[in-house]
Amino acid sequence: MDWLLQRLPAPYRTKARDYLVLTRMDRPIGALLLLWPTWWALWLAAADFPPVKLLVIFTLGVFSMRAAGCAINDFADRKLDPQVERTAGRPIAAGRVTPRKALVVFASLLVFSFILVLFTNKFTVQLSFAGAALAAVYPFTKRYTHLPQVVLGAAFGWSIPMAFAAVMNTVPPIGWLLFIANIIWSVVYDTEYAMVDREDDIKAGAKSTAILFGDADLPILAILMATFLLAMLFVGQRATLGWPYWLSLLASAGLFGWQLWRIRTHDRAACLWAFRNNNWLGMALWIGIVMALAFR
């Protein structure tokens, strides 16, 4: 990001940085956690390398929708973020970007994402409206339910049925199975993320699965991890994937075990590490799918 900012005239660098931070362009981990399931779906739907046009559309869409989600999230949390140590320096919370301008950024990114979807088919366009609604609603759910991570999983995973619709003009059962699996995985990694801010969130009045699970968080996370792996096992069976995929599933189980071991003391840094480690898990499964399809 600094390399890009150096190319701008000096008077614009600070403001540009604020907007890049608002949309989390300085922290691509969230976009990657959205990208891997999208690529899982594209490769499984095509049963091979997906059409290049769709790969470009969905990859750009992942980054634009994630950026839009971050903008509306900071708008929704503009009164909560100043009360949480980790988020107090965010652009809106610190007063560097106004809430109105954040809404303009959100709307602009939604329009850009919708233009991308227009290059697919009618069914995918229809599905995109539900995706936009999920992205807009998610940030506000933490005030009313302890399950915002479930809504996040649906929002992050909506690219899965859209990818199947774009490739096949339908969403087969395996598409919905993959969608449900992604919701479970999202609850896992976002609970790990929420464990970092659990004490601050309780004081601020925010809700999360980390607060809901309480002292039982590690056993529940272990159950969710096992359920996700089982769902992905069924995905592999339905797609008749070969040994590379099963190796990637085994690697994923190992990564989950490593995460649980690292967060056993509930250390904040370890919980944040576990959250980020899911990037490697998502990539491992994508590599397994790609290789299994290539070796057919």
Side-chain angles (χ1 to χ4, degrees):
M1 192 173 74
D2 290 334
W3 180 84
L4 288 173
L5 289 172
Q6 288 174 1
R7 271 65 186 167
L8 289 177
Y12 299 99
R13 289 175 190 168
T14 300
K15 185 56 68 175
R17 174 182 289 276
D18 288 337
Y19 284 104
L20 289 172
V21 172
L22 173 69
T23 54
R24 307 293 193 279
M25 291 301 178
D26 58 327
R27 297 181 180 180
I29 178 64
L32 292 173
L33 290 172
L34 175 54
L35 180 67
W36 299 125
T38 304
W39 282 8
W40 300 345
L42 284 171
W43 259 262
L44 288 171
D48 199 348
F49 197 97
V52 174
K53 184 182 83 168
L54 293 180
L55 182 60
V56 171
I57 288 171
F58 276 87
T59 301
L60 289 176
V62 160
F63 285 91
S64 63
M65 282 303 297
R66 191 261 179 163
C70 291
I72 193 64
N73 181 78
D74 283 11
F75 171 81
D77 290 349
R78 63 192 182 278
K79 295 182 180 179
L80 290 176
D81 282 346
Q83 304 177 57
V84 179
E85 180 182 353
R86 185 181 55 81
T87 60
R90 287 178 175 175
I92 298 179
R96 299 193 306 273
V97 173
T98 66
R100 179 176 295 181
K101 288 182 178 178
L103 287 178
V104 171
V105 170
F106 171 67
S108 300
L109 288 166
L110 274 189
V111 170
F112 174 74
S113 301
F114 185 66
I115 291 172
L116 289 174
V117 175
L118 291 177
F119 290 95
T120 60
N121 55 40
K122 182 179 179 181
F123 185 32
T124 310
V125 172
Q126 292 171 340
L127 287 175
S128 71
F129 289 101
L134 285 168
V137 167
Y138 157 69
F140 300 93
T141 57
K142 64 188 72 174
R143 288 160 181 75
Y144 306 104
T145 174
H146 281 93
L147 300 173
Q149 282 71 25
V150 176
V151 183
L152 174 74
F156 264 33
W158 198 249
S159 60
I160 292 173
M162 286 181 63
F164 276 92
V167 175
M168 306 174 67
N169 203 30
T170 187
V171 184
I174 191 175
W176 294 115
L177 177 60
L178 193 63
F179 173 67
I180 293 170
N182 184 73
I183 292 177
I184 298 169
W185 183 40
S186 300
V187 173
V188 169
Y189 64 66
D190 206 49
T191 298
E192 294 171 337
Y193 189 66
M195 287 167 68
V196 178
D197 299 327
R198 177 157 43 193
E199 300 306 320
D200 289 335
D201 284 344
I202 291 173
K203 293 176 183 177
K207 297 178 173 65
S208 71
T209 48
I211 296 172
L212 177 65
F213 297 162
D215 293 341
D217 50 7
L218 295 185
I220 293 174
L221 281 176
I223 292 170
L224 290 171
M225 289 171 175
T227 305
F228 168 73
L229 292 172
L230 181 62
M232 294 304 290
L233 184 148
F234 292 149
V235 167
Q237 287 180 329
R238 280 185 168 271
T240 62
L241 299 178
W243 63 267
Y245 177 74
W246 304 117
L247 284 180
S248 72
L249 202 59
L250 183 62
S252 300
L255 289 172
F256 272 150
W258 193 13
Q259 291 172 25
L260 286 173
W261 175 255
R262 287 288 300 270
I263 65 176
R264 69 191 185 282
T265 61
H266 295 87
D267 176 73
R268 287 191 175 194
C271 292
L272 188 58
W273 172 90
F275 162 73
R276 291 172 175 165
N277 183 256
N278 283 279
N279 172 53
W280 301 108
L281 190 149
M283 182 176 68
L285 287 171
W286 173 70
I287 291 173
I289 291 170
V290 172
M291 293 182 65
L293 291 173
F295 289 161
R296 273 183 171 177

